[in-house]
Amino acid sequence: MRIKIINPNTTLSMTKNIQLAGQKFVSPDTEVFAVSPSTGPASIESYYDEYLAVPGVIEEILKGDKEEKIDAYVIACFGDPGLYAAREVTDKPVVGIAEAAITVSKFLAPNFSIVSVLDRSRKMSEEMVRMHGAEDRCKSIRSTGLSVLEFDRNLEKGLKALSEVSLKAVEEDGAESILLGCAGFVSFVDDLQERLGVPVLDGVSPAVKLAEILVSMGCRTSKFLTWGYPENKQIIGYENITSLQNTRV
Amino acid sequence: MRIKIINPNTTLSMTKNIQLAGQKFVSPDTEVFAVSPSTGPASIESYYDEYLAVPGVIEEILKGDKEEKIDAYVIACFGDPGLYAAREVTDKPVVGIAEAAITVSKFLAPNFSIVSVLDRSRKMSEEMVRMHGAEDRCKSIRSTGLSVLEFDRNLEKGLKALSEVSLKAVEEDGAESILLGCAGFVSFVDDLQERLGVPVLDGVSPAVKLAEILVSMGCRTSKFLTWGYPENKQIIGYENITSLQNTRV
Amino acid sequence: MRIKIINPNTTLSMTKNIQLAGQKFVSPDTEVFAVSPSTGPASIESYYDEYLAVPGVIEEILKGDKEEKIDAYVIACFGDPGLYAAREVTDKPVVGIAEAAITVSKFLAPNFSIVSVLDRSRKMSEEMVRMHGAEDRCKSIRSTGLSVLEFDRNLEKGLKALSEVSLKAVEEDGAESILLGCAGFVSFVDDLQERLGVPVLDGVSPAVKLAEILVSMGCRTSKFLTWGYPENKQIIGYENITSLQNTRV
Amino acid sequence: MRIKIINPNTTLSMTKNIQLAGQKFVSPDTEVFAVSPSTGPASIESYYDEYLAVPGVIEEILKGDKEEKIDAYVIACFGDPGLYAAREVTDKPVVGIAEAAITVSKFLAPNFSIVSVLDRSRKMSEEMVRMHGAEDRCKSIRSTGLSVLEFDRNLEKGLKALSEVSLKAVEEDGAESILLGCAGFVSFVDDLQERLGVPVLDGVSPAVKLAEILVSMGCRTSKFLTWGYPENKQIIGYENITSLQNTRV
Amino acid sequence: MRIKIINPNTTLSMTKNIQLAGQKFVSPDTEVFAVSPSTGPASIESYYDEYLAVPGVIEEILKGDKEEKIDAYVIACFGDPGLYAAREVTDKPVVGIAEAAITVSKFLAPNFSIVSVLDRSRKMSEEMVRMHGAEDRCKSIRSTGLSVLEFDRNLEKGLKALSEVSLKAVEEDGAESILLGCAGFVSFVDDLQERLGVPVLDGVSPAVKLAEILVSMGCRTSKFLTWGYPENKQIIGYENITSLQNTRV
Amino acid sequence: MRIKIINPNTTLSMTKNIQLAGQKFVSPDTEVFAVSPSTGPASIESYYDEYLAVPGVIEEILKGDKEEKIDAYVIACFGDPGLYAAREVTDKPVVGIAEAAITVSKFLAPNFSIVSVLDRSRKMSEEMVRMHGAEDRCKSIRSTGLSVLEFDRNLEKGLKALSEVSLKAVEEDGAESILLGCAGFVSFVDDLQERLGVPVLDGVSPAVKLAEILVSMGCRTSKFLTWGYPENKQIIGYENITSLQNTRV
């Protein structure tokens, strides 16, 4: 089985860490690799960033289907950018990491808090919580005030900031599990879990495992209506995408 | 005052009709013009279409600010594609037509139904209703089964289909106003309203009028946090966009 | 175009300020004037006050239709007292100021806080938020502890109190815009906006502008069902009202 | 113990039937009597009717406290008009009949449907359901299309119409209990219950019994904040009310 | 009339206090007695405890119907354990004390806080609030950190702890009434109400009074569908229960 | 890895089919076996049935931990009976089949319908939908009118009934995936999926796969608060359980 992780931003050092996290718990016969798209922003912290990242994500999925014999995809950014579009262009399972972290936490704890990067991304995390049906479960969303790239540059400082806000989430907000709200946090899971005494989840490892079982059960995305292949029509620009595309005739 | 309407798809016959609808009720000293982006799909009916349309929308907004002295923007597709990203890259008011139609209908009737194009777009309309705080108001979302481009090609057939589903919305679902769920329907407003006896709203005319009053009151988008200018960072591709962009330093 | 603002309370000094706020951004060819009803309380801070204010509001609307050639109405109290009854007795647009402030803020910021008068009115503000579909948008409702009439008597003290609670709303609750929860606050908008750095909205100016565009688009309240003219029936008392009334036969 | 039922409309034949329903299950030492206010509409079917009814309701409550040694009040119209204002002007328990019917049904069945009068009142019934926390319980709201006064004039025709819509609620909507959405239906309870085989509740009898137990437990309305006595202030008109009123100094 | 209160735990000192609370406001011709089941935990603080308590509750209800001529039942634990099962096995009214406290508080105050025992039971209280349609009413759930049995052993210490958290609920959370979230708190009602100045409700007394009026109105649980008698089928174990049971053939 | 499936009812022919479904997609090094508790009902169709099933479920989990070296548990009834209690008594992952089916469907389709057994169980399915955060996803819950044991006795008749209601869910309700609302339906998955053309999910296979990945990632239930081990206290009866139990000292 081949699972392709798409880090929707173009910072390759993050892509490498994400690949390690994706491989952490994987079955022996599963091949996991992570890529960054050929276009897009160095990190995703605004709606603007997100929309400029998605075409690259779509391209990587189409390429995966046409050229790489991929069995399932993971979108490795906590905003799950382009998740529904991805499900339209392929019938292979696609899993987002916000989706995966929220999903797995529901089995382990009655509630969670999300600890994240900049304050401005808070609304995106709220949208993830709502999109994945966890409004009753989310105790709080706390941010460290550090940007995605600051984390990437200074892991130690990042870990310290994450520890502090996570501890507040547990002690003041009553969180019984912690979700790491950025794919750049994958290296901190074990450290944090030990310090906090509650389950700590990054989304990447769970997403890969979820993708694995969807494949092993033979699951395909429902093409019945909403996530059917896009209608065939003229598209200007995006030749890299349209040349790869499957459409509903 | 100059208001720029962005038809996020690249079908210019629709852009022309949209411009007419935008000019319908405009004040004498307001200049309204409609454009299509240089890239993107011929119509927007899937998440895939939507994501490929948004970069073009962003570009048109940045261009409006830098080169065209625009005072406010209207995004003229019923999915309000890229609305929040648009509000990040400019501090001028940006109004979506789903947002505008829903907003104005609240003043005129206790509830509404949306009549739209393909069944598959239904979920997008549901997301509009939720995003704009109208879940209690929406009686039903009904689709004609015709695509955006079929409407554009055969207005008469389109009007007939719209009449039929609108009538069902009024008689079976109890709708007391009708929202036209596609910018391609702007030509049908008066005909439909006469036939149905309840207020019928396309979003384009209301969006222009809403934009007008936001400008006349001197309103600017809050740059305090969520919709602040995007962080400054490397972006690969999209040179047409990044060369125009304002960022938070 | 003639727009009549009804200050539902009987304190004429407030009515005068409300008229000034209503005229602030108005188009040259729009005439705006504010009145207080002939009956009702000096201020509205309880359900009791509100119910004693509404018959006067209804009377002013009927009078507007019969005798004053009014094109649209604004109800200038943050509880929007009698809004739905007003929409029944006329087919001219009627706009409430809570409705207007909430509506306009949605275009300018992802969320808001309401700053208001007495703590006891908090539940009414909550009802406004829910009635106008903004539960997801409202970060907090904070009160100054001063009554409506204390504000009217001592503007400086009022401004100071408002500044303080507004600042808390921004800094502690994460509000990205501020709504002034009392028609008596109209004089404070500019001062507050400058101090806070986020959009500050009273409801009166936006309500007048919204009324203006509803008229300019030819909008009428849907008489289809819920807001149809009241049934014709005997009413004891209220001769001033019943003599003016339109009813559904 | 003395319980005063206020029929908020001025149709005395209905007041008489309401009194009978109120006395139906009452304890031997409880005195129950029903009145209509001196002002207001002959029936309540619109927001307009409701607002013209409430001042009369408030007056009857103040009179009850000052002159009639009342221990608790029932407001006998399915829209619970003025319920919160009534709770402000007295500390004696006040019970609405929509509130009572919904409350009691929760003990007897997992869900209910409301059967009511005119279609236009449907939104008011929806507001009752939400106000009394029963959105998850309400299967449907169905109307007979007959007005309140048509029921009062032709009981047999009314019963037939009610039977038919109630049966649909049970068979098509899955209702496991039926709430009668108009105080004018009190005479039909037993007949309907026999025909339908599910619990049928008018609100009047339950409201009186609920008022009884609130009194017998010594309960008083919380005067702590929201429902505290109204602030003392000038009120123009309503001398019959203001002369009786208790206010917060 | 005979009302049987079932204290679902097996601590008889609590059962005795519960009986006293149940008799506090009862009508002269009503007989009230409290029992503990023959099986189950000494207190209910976890889901585990709750599930081991419910079979005993069911047995007591079946016994009440078969052998004790009971007219109505009260389940006296704030989690309302087994409430819906109880309504299946009998057609006599069954009232839970969380249900009763929440129900009565709605008549007395616009909102409430729940004060309870251990932090871990907080989620159960949240479920009560939701199950009984009071999410809009609940200001906070606060716990004392003392276990049910600690309260039973040291009433004075318990009262002190309850006073403190209740005061915080009123002053910091804006609660306008207080619900006692454990049947073990029945002795504290009067003391607390005096100290706090807002209505304080244990659930036991209200539940008995509610049961009384359901009986006096001749109410029976709807056997139409959801709460119909259980299907007849083989059950292994629970002979004490199955020998008493009524089933749907 | 050893996964124990607990069929909460005592019908062994069902347990056997459930075991087959559990083994269907399992990894080579995972051992899966299904049991029925020693006590409880032959099928679960009412709250009564459910409550009599749970103690047996708890016992099987405690036994699994003490004597069978189990790594994870599956509760194989669509009501997920005792799920939270099970999570209290062990720190090994526990997965319910309603939870599993809903969870997996979210990855495959934007919405689902549940097809189930008797009408009376509908409310339980609604509770599952809400408990697992899928209210926005659930298009309908449809029942066949056949009991659990009728399915077990006549598979062909069952399949026919299921096909019919599933088809209605797809065609009339717009369901884009189908969840089988009873563990007794596991044999029908493949047949139904072929007939319907949309993903069809029983919960058993997904639950086993989800349990597998939770184990493989080293996940443990958060013992921080809500799902901590039960408090140590006297329990009367249930010696089979209490002799096996872990408690929080």
Side-chain angles (χ1 to χ4, degrees), chain F residues 151-177:
Chain F
F151 272 98
D152 196 53
R153 278 195 299 269
N154 190 336
L155 291 181
E156 204 161 330
K157 186 179 166 193
L159 177 57
K160 190 161 168 295
L162 267 185
S163 291
E164 283 169 15
V165 298
S166 299
L167 202 65
K168 281 189 186 165
V170 171
E171 291 182 350
E172 296 176 20
D173 310 331
E176 303 185 42
S177 68

Side-chain angles (χ1 to χ4, degrees), chain E residues 72-114:
Chain E
Y73 299 88
V74 167
I75 299 178
C77 164
F78 203 82
D80 294 354
L83 181 61
Y84 290 171
R87 286 186 180 148
E88 290 174 338
V89 297
T90 180
D91 67 349
K92 309 291 188 314
V94 185
V95 178
I97 65 165
E99 188 182 31
I102 290 169
T103 297
V104 168
S105 89
K106 287 182 178 178
F107 293 101
L108 305 182
N111 61 54
F112 60 80
S113 284
I114 297 173

Side-chain angles (χ1 to χ4, degrees), chain E residues 205-221:
Chain E
S205 313
V208 168
K209 293 303 289 179
L210 285 162
E212 249 189 356
I213 63 171
L214 294 172
V215 173
S216 74
M217 292 189 289
C219 294
R220 295 294 169 107
T221 294

Side-chain angles (χ1 to χ4, degrees), chain C residues 38 40 42-43 45-49 51-52 54-55 88 120 130 226 228-229 231 233-234 236 238 241 245, chain D residues 38 40 42-43 45-49 51-52 54-55 88-89 120 130 226 228-229 231 233-234 236 238 245:
Chain C
S38 60
S43 65
E45 290 157 329
S46 61
Y47 291 96
Y48 171 84
D49 291 341
Y51 280 109
L52 297 189
V54 171
E88 290 175 338
R120 75 172 300 163
R130 160 171 281 200
T226 307
Y229 291 108
E231 267 53 39
K233 64 185 67 159
Q234 193 201 29
I236 302 178
Y238 304 105
I241 289 176
Q245 172 194 6
Chain D
S38 58
S43 65
E45 290 158 328
S46 61
Y47 291 96
Y48 170 84
D49 291 341
Y51 280 109
L52 296 189
V54 172
E88 289 175 338
V89 297
R120 73 171 302 163
R130 160 170 281 199
T226 306
Y229 291 109
E231 268 54 39
K233 65 185 65 160
Q234 193 201 29
I236 302 179
Y238 303 105
Q245 171 194 6

Side-chain angles (χ1 to χ4, degrees), chain F residues 73-231:
Chain F
Y73 300 88
V74 167
I75 300 178
C77 165
F78 203 81
D80 295 352
L83 181 62
Y84 290 172
R87 285 186 180 147
E88 290 174 338
V89 298
T90 180
D91 66 349
K92 308 291 187 316
V94 186
V95 178
I97 66 166
E99 187 182 33
I102 291 170
T103 296
V104 167
S105 90
K106 288 183 178 177
F107 293 101
L108 304 182
N111 61 56
F112 60 80
S113 284
I114 296 173
V115 293
S116 190
V117 283
L118 297 180
D119 251 6
R120 73 171 301 160
S121 311
R122 176 192 185 78
K123 199 175 153 60
M124 285 174 181
S125 296
E126 286 171 8
E127 288 168 359
M128 286 300 99
V129 168
R130 161 171 280 200
M131 179 174 168
H132 300 306
E135 286 149 302
D136 291 348
R137 302 272 187 145
C138 183
K139 282 289 179 181
S140 62
I141 298 170
R142 284 184 174 262
S143 33
T144 57
L146 299 176
S147 74
V148 175
L149 299 176
E150 282 174 295
F151 272 98
D152 196 53
R153 278 195 299 269
N154 190 336
L155 291 181
E156 204 161 330
K157 186 179 166 193
L159 177 57
K160 190 161 168 295
L162 267 185
S163 291
E164 283 169 15
V165 298
S166 299
L167 202 65
K168 281 189 186 165
V170 171
E171 291 182 350
E172 296 176 20
D173 310 331
E176 303 185 42
S177 68
I178 294 291
L179 309 192
L180 302 183
C182 174
F185 296 172
V186 286
S187 333
F188 305 141
V189 177
D190 296 332
D191 259 340
L192 276 174
Q193 178 146 334
E194 196 168 328
R195 290 184 196 196
L196 296 170
V198 302
V200 175
L201 292 163
D202 82 290
V204 178
S205 312
V208 168
K209 293 303 288 180
L210 285 163
E212 249 188 356
I213 63 171
L214 294 173
V215 173
S216 75
M217 292 189 289
C219 294
R220 295 294 168 105
T221 295
S222 178
K223 287 293 164 187
F224 187 68
L225 186 65
T226 307
W227 293 339
Y229 291 110
E231 268 53 39

Side-chain angles (χ1 to χ4, degrees), chain D residues 6-57:
Chain D
I6 303 161
N7 169 20
N9 75 36
T10 49
T11 299
L12 297 181
S13 54
M14 279 183 62
T15 313
K16 220 155 62 180
N17 283 334
I18 286 169
Q19 173 152 333
L20 290 176
Q23 291 167 331
K24 197 167 169 191
F25 300 114
V26 99
S27 302
D29 54 344
T30 301
E31 189 185 342
V32 172
F33 69 102
V35 301
S36 278
S38 58
T39 59
S43 65
I44 300 181
E45 290 158 328
S46 61
Y47 291 96
Y48 170 84
D49 291 341
E50 187 169 306
Y51 280 109
L52 296 189
V54 172
V57 171

